[in-house]
């Protein structure tokens, strides 16, 4: 054992077989293995339970891995609405969530997130998890602020990306993420912090609406 990630994996154990199997199945079906690490799954669960979260909005479903972590700790009547642009990803996720027994708690909406966001209404969300295309994180944050209320949580994945956000030769995703980080850090309506994961290779930004 060498690193904190290895230590915590040993300490907490691997997730159950269903969760563990999803990335392997997905890879066989040609989906990328860019789901959250388990330490972020546990962080989302801590936030949901500690914050009494009932309504979750997720941007970027992939094969339903993060949605399943979250759905498992929702109280009765809790819901995840997850937005996904790829019909193939959405289909794989629906099957996985059905198999996991949480399809009554997770609704996947197909289409570009920005279009689905425009058609969302109803009560505010208690947690918004931003994990779709990195280039649109700033508009997604604006939408998250509109769709939440004081006390709600806004969480954004992949905000360090191996330090790409501070490299001058970064690609457009890295530049967009650097812009997102500056924006959220200076956003007066939020208290936020970057939580490292994958042994500091990446970070997830956690914010609460004041
Ligand atoms: N939250 C997932 C990982 C999401 S990966 C997990 O941790 O398990 C990012 C996902 O965002 C991919 O499935 C990709 O198809 C989707 N995506 C990319 N651009 C998008 C867009 N404009 N609108 C909605 N989803 C998008
Ligand atoms: C990528 C996207 C993710 O959401 C992630 O967790 C890791 C990588 C990507 O697009 O490269
Ligand atoms: Mg991610």
């Amino acid at each position: 054992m060498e690193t904190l990630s290895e230590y915590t994996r040993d300490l907490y154990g691997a997730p159950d077989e269903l969760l563990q199997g999803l990335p392997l199945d997905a890879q066989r079906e040609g989906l990328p293995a860019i789901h959250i690490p388990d330490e972020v799954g546990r962080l989302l669960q801590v936030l949901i339970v500690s914050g009494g979260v009932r309504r979750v909005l997720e941007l970027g479903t992939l094969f339903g891995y993060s949605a399943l972590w979250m759905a498992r700790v929702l109280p009765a009547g809790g819901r995840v609405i997850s937005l996904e642009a790829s019909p193939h990803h959405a289909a794989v996720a629906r099957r996985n969530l059905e198999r996991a027994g949480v399809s009554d708690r997770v609704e996947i909406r197909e289409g570009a997130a920005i279009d689905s966001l425009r058609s969302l209404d109803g009560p505010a969300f208690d947690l918004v998890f931003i994990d779709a295309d990195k280039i649109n994180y700033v508009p997604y944050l604006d939408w998250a602020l509109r769709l939440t209320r004081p006390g709600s949580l806004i969480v954004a994945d992949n905000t360090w990306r191996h330090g790409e956000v501070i490299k001058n030769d970064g690609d457009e995703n890295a530049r967009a993420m650097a812009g997102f980080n500056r924006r959220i850090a200076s956003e007066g309506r939020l208290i936020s912090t970057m939580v490292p994961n994958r042994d500091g290779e990446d970070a997830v930004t956690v914010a609460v609406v004041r």
Side-chain angles (χ1 to χ4, degrees):
M1 211 190 305
E2 287 166 4
T3 71
L4 176 59
S5 282
E6 286 164 0
Y7 175 69
T8 55
R9 188 173 176 83
D10 189 54
L11 186 68
Y12 287 91
D16 60 277
E17 289 202 348
L18 199 146
L19 264 176
Q20 255 186 84
L22 295 186
L24 303 169
D25 292 352
Q27 268 179 297
R28 273 194 290 270
E29 292 171 287
L31 275 69
I34 54 172
H35 53 291
I36 50 165
D38 296 344
E39 53 203 315
V40 174
R42 284 191 294 272
L43 176 62
L44 287 167
Q45 291 190 334
V46 168
L47 293 171
I48 287 169
V49 176
S50 66
V53 168
R54 302 178 63 83
R55 280 175 54 82
V56 175
L57 174 64
E58 174 175 74
L59 282 61
T61 318
L62 190 57
F63 50 86
Y65 191 79
S66 49
L68 178 53
W69 275 95
M70 294 192 284
R72 279 188 170 170
V73 295
L74 285 178
R79 287 283 178 280
V80 179
I81 294 179
S82 187
L83 312 181
E84 174 54 57
S86 157
H88 180 45
H89 294 185
V92 170
R94 280 197 190 96
R95 186 206 59 206
N96 287 342
L97 295 164
E98 180 81 40
R99 213 166 61 188
V102 298
S103 51
D104 56 332
R105 267 174 274 166
V106 186
E107 181 192 335
I108 298 170
R109 297 201 183 166
E110 257 174 68
I114 211 80
D115 297 329
S116 300
L117 284 163
R118 287 194 194 99
S119 66
L120 281 174
D121 55 4
F125 289 94
D126 307 309
L127 187 151
V128 179
F129 180 48
I130 303 174
D131 195 20
D133 47 325
K134 311 309 166 197
I135 206 101
N136 285 315
Y137 266 38
V138 168
Y140 293 156
L141 178 60
D142 288 327
W143 274 105
L145 284 162
R146 270 176 226 139
L147 296 169
T148 50
R149 53 169 176 75
S152 294
L153 299 159
I154 299 175
V155 181
D157 197 27
N158 313 115
T159 55
W160 174 245
R161 295 175 57 103
H162 315 276
E164 275 175 35
V165 293
I166 54 167
K167 290 180 192 147
N168 292 322
D169 58 350
D171 66 4
E172 57 177 349
N173 290 319
R175 281 198 300 278
M177 194 61 86
F180 172 83
N181 290 344
R182 286 191 296 273
R183 166 69 201 286
I184 201 165
S186 61
E187 174 55 67
R189 287 171 284 180
L190 297 172
I191 302 169
S192 68
T193 191
M194 291 177 71
V195 181
N197 53 77
R198 299 186 193 271
D199 295 313
E201 287 295 307
D202 211 340
V204 58
T205 298
V206 177
V208 63
V209 181
R210 315 178 71 142

